Amino acid sequence: MRFEIHVRPSASTTVVGGEYDGALVVRVVEPADEGRATEAALKAVSKATALPRRSVVLVRGTSSRRKLIAIEVGTSGTDAVEDTLVDLRSR
């Protein structure tokens, strides 16, 4: 499953939720320096979806705020992850 996220670095707290231009918003405390914000965003998404970090993979966008990520989950967990993402976007 692939979807886009919009990373907002240097936020006051790390929060996953909301939507910006069709992408899930991920606010992270870490600055956009040497990939720190990207890694923090991937960790935040994995925590929000209750999946291990190794299941959340960056596909495109290493140096931009808009990133395409893939979540590797079995067929039985796809519906649960999709429901979680819908809920997170509505926040």
Side-chain angles (χ1 to χ4, degrees):
M1 161 185 315
R2 291 181 175 201
F3 61 96
E4 290 188 325
I5 61 172
H6 179 82
V7 179
R8 293 189 178 156
S10 301
S12 58
T13 58
T14 297
V15 178
V16 178
E19 188 172 357
Y20 178 78
D21 197 24
L24 177 66
V25 176
V26 182
R27 294 170 184 85
V28 294
V29 174
E30 287 76 6
D33 182 41
E34 298 179 10
R36 291 171 45 200
T38 299
E39 181 58 32
L42 297 177
K43 285 181 184 178
V45 170
S46 71
K47 185 176 179 181
T49 56
L51 294 170
R53 168 60 186 90
R54 68 181 177 272
S55 296
V56 180
V57 179
L58 179 67
V59 176
R60 173 178 35 90
T62 55
S63 61
S64 69
R65 288 182 180 220
R66 188 133 182 144
K67 301 175 186 311
L68 178 65
I69 62 173
I71 292 184
E72 299 170 358
V73 61
T75 55
S76 61
T78 302
D79 290 338
V81 172
E82 285 178 354
D83 291 344
T84 300
L85 292 174
V86 168
D87 180 50
L88 289 169
R89 285 178 186 221
S90 67
R91 292 183 184 178

